[in-house]
Amino acid sequence: MPIRHISTCLDSAGVEFQEDGVVFVTTEPVILGVCDAFSIPYDRDTPPIFVPDGNWKKISTGEMVKLIFCQTLPEVQKNDFWATISEIDKKVRELNIRAQDQYNLPREPAYSAGMSCVAVRVWPGTIEIFQCGDCIAAWKYKNGEIDYTRNPVKAASIRLRKAKAQLLKESDGDVDKARVRFTPLLQEQKNSDTNNEQSSEGYPSINGSLRIQMCQEVSLPSNEISCLLLCSDGFLPFECFNDQERINKLIRNIDCAGLDGHLERILKLQGEEATAAFIRFE
């Protein structure tokens, strides 16, 4: 096996619900995955929906999506990515239908839990990458060149970030008040762009209605790769996404200092869940 070292990190940054997850299967082929789940939208006026986790505990719908990912992704050892991700999406759809029916919610993206994810399967001669949403992979070749998977959610995120900042300003810095006003905008965006190939800001999401052809798959020769990073969006400053120069700097820094050094910097900047896995190859 061409792997020399694997490291992972997951910092919840004190969030209310821990909806990021990491999967690590050590037997061949090695499987690594990172997910960033989200709950059915909620705010001060609309409480979050909780579901049983199978162990006498109630968790958020986003936390349940994370569990589905972590429990099901290892099946990619014996199936291809499309089959395994489709099975995950099916389980998320069943979760959403139960919650929507129980709370009389419309069956649409605005009222669905889901997630972004990125995963890798490492064979002796090949590295296979699957990416959905705004979790990304980035890798460095042994010749020093760096490449990465693009974040298709960035365009929609830019618009939402501007709207959120404006609402926070209009609410005199009251985060809860701004969030109540933001929720309808978020729901409108989800209905417009999620798994919609016709939208200029469309992107894939594992929410029970995944358009898997919108996802990205990459195959790399393992003997040409020096290192590879998988991460959630919270692990990167937003401006890094789809920016070759910033991604180059990021990978070189992590290659030198490891995940922990970058994690400490990003938590100071963003204060949200940050999750990553890093592989060094022989």
Side-chain angles (χ1 to χ4, degrees), residues 20 34-36 118 134-136 230-236 241 273-276:
D20 276 17
V34 168
C35 78
D36 179 5
V118 62
D134 57 9
C135 292
I136 72 160
L230 309 177
C231 66
S232 66
D233 66 329
F235 189 77
L236 300 183
F241 288 110
E273 282 191 280
T275 306

Coordinates of all heavy atoms in Angstrom, one line a residue, residues 20 34-36 118 134-136 230-236 241 273-276:
D20 N -20.5 17.6 11.4 CA -19.4 17.2 10.6 C -19.0 15.7 11.0 O -19.2 15.4 12.2 CB -18.2 18.1 10.8 CG -18.2 19.3 9.9 OD1 -19.3 19.6 9.4 OD2 -17.2 20.0 9.8
V34 N -15.1 12.6 4.5 CA -15.4 13.8 5.4 C -16.8 14.2 4.9 O -17.1 14.3 3.7 CB -14.4 14.9 5.2 CG1 -14.9 16.2 5.8 CG2 -13.1 14.6 5.8
C35 N -17.7 14.5 5.9 CA -19.0 15.0 5.6 C -19.3 16.3 6.4 O -18.8 16.4 7.5 CB -20.1 14.0 5.8 SG -20.6 13.7 7.5
D36 N -20.1 17.1 5.8 CA -20.6 18.3 6.5 C -22.2 18.3 6.3 O -22.7 18.7 5.2 CB -20.0 19.5 5.8 CG -20.5 20.9 6.4 OD1 -21.3 20.8 7.4 OD2 -20.1 21.9 5.9
V118 N -16.9 14.5 0.8 CA -15.8 14.1 -0.1 C -15.2 12.8 0.5 O -15.1 12.7 1.7 CB -14.8 15.2 -0.2 CG1 -14.1 15.6 1.1 CG2 -13.7 14.9 -1.3
D134 N -19.8 21.3 -1.1 CA -18.7 22.2 -0.7 C -17.7 21.6 0.2 O -16.9 22.3 0.7 CB -19.2 23.5 -0.2 CG -20.1 23.3 1.1 OD1 -20.2 22.2 1.6 OD2 -20.7 24.3 1.5
C135 N -17.6 20.3 0.3 CA -16.4 19.6 0.8 C -15.5 19.4 -0.4 O -16.0 19.1 -1.5 CB -16.8 18.2 1.5 SG -17.7 18.3 3.0
I136 N -14.2 19.5 -0.2 CA -13.3 19.4 -1.4 C -12.2 18.5 -1.1 O -11.9 18.2 0.1 CB -12.8 20.8 -1.8 CG1 -11.8 21.4 -0.8 CG2 -14.0 21.8 -2.0 CD1 -10.9 22.4 -1.4
L230 N -8.6 16.1 2.3 CA -10.1 16.1 2.2 C -10.5 17.0 3.3 O -10.1 16.9 4.5 CB -10.7 14.7 2.4 CG -10.1 13.5 1.6 CD1 -10.8 12.2 2.1 CD2 -10.3 13.8 0.1
C231 N -11.5 17.9 3.0 CA -11.9 18.8 4.1 C -13.3 19.3 3.9 O -13.8 19.4 2.8 CB -11.0 20.0 4.3 SG -10.9 21.1 2.9
S232 N -14.0 19.7 5.0 CA -15.2 20.4 5.0 C -15.0 21.9 4.7 O -13.9 22.4 4.8 CB -16.0 20.2 6.3 OG -15.3 20.9 7.3
D233 N -16.1 22.6 4.4 CA -15.9 24.0 4.0 C -15.4 24.8 5.2 O -14.8 25.8 5.1 CB -17.2 24.6 3.5 CG -18.3 24.6 4.5 OD1 -18.4 23.7 5.4 OD2 -19.2 25.5 4.4
G234 N -15.7 24.4 6.5 CA -15.3 25.1 7.6 C -13.8 25.0 7.9 O -13.3 25.8 8.7
F235 N -13.1 24.1 7.2 CA -11.7 24.0 7.4 C -10.9 25.0 6.6 O -9.7 25.3 6.8 CB -11.2 22.6 7.0 CG -9.8 22.3 7.3 CD1 -9.4 22.0 8.6 CD2 -8.8 22.3 6.3 CE1 -8.1 21.7 8.9 CE2 -7.5 22.0 6.6 CZ -7.1 21.7 8.0
L236 N -11.6 25.7 5.6 CA -10.9 26.6 4.7 C -11.5 28.0 4.9 O -12.7 28.2 5.0 CB -11.1 26.2 3.2 CG -10.6 24.9 2.7 CD1 -10.8 24.8 1.3 CD2 -9.1 24.7 3.1
F241 N -11.7 28.8 -1.8 CA -12.4 27.9 -2.7 C -12.3 28.4 -4.1 O -12.5 29.6 -4.5 CB -13.9 27.8 -2.3 CG -14.2 27.0 -1.1 CD1 -14.6 27.6 0.1 CD2 -14.0 25.7 -1.1 CE1 -14.8 26.9 1.2 CE2 -14.2 24.9 0.0 CZ -14.6 25.5 1.2
E273 N -17.5 24.5 12.7 CA -16.9 23.2 12.6 C -15.9 23.1 11.5 O -16.1 23.6 10.4 CB -18.0 22.1 12.4 CG -18.9 21.8 13.6 CD -19.8 20.6 13.4 OE1 -20.8 20.8 12.8 OE2 -19.4 19.5 13.8
A274 N -14.8 22.4 11.8 CA -13.7 22.3 10.8 C -13.2 20.8 10.9 O -12.8 20.3 11.9 CB -12.6 23.2 11.2
T275 N -13.3 20.2 9.7 CA -13.0 18.7 9.6 C -12.1 18.5 8.4 O -12.4 19.0 7.4 CB -14.3 17.9 9.5 OG1 -15.2 18.3 10.6 CG2 -14.1 16.5 9.6
A276 N -11.1 17.6 8.6 CA -10.2 17.3 7.5 C -9.6 15.9 7.7 O -9.5 15.4 8.8 CB -9.2 18.4 7.4

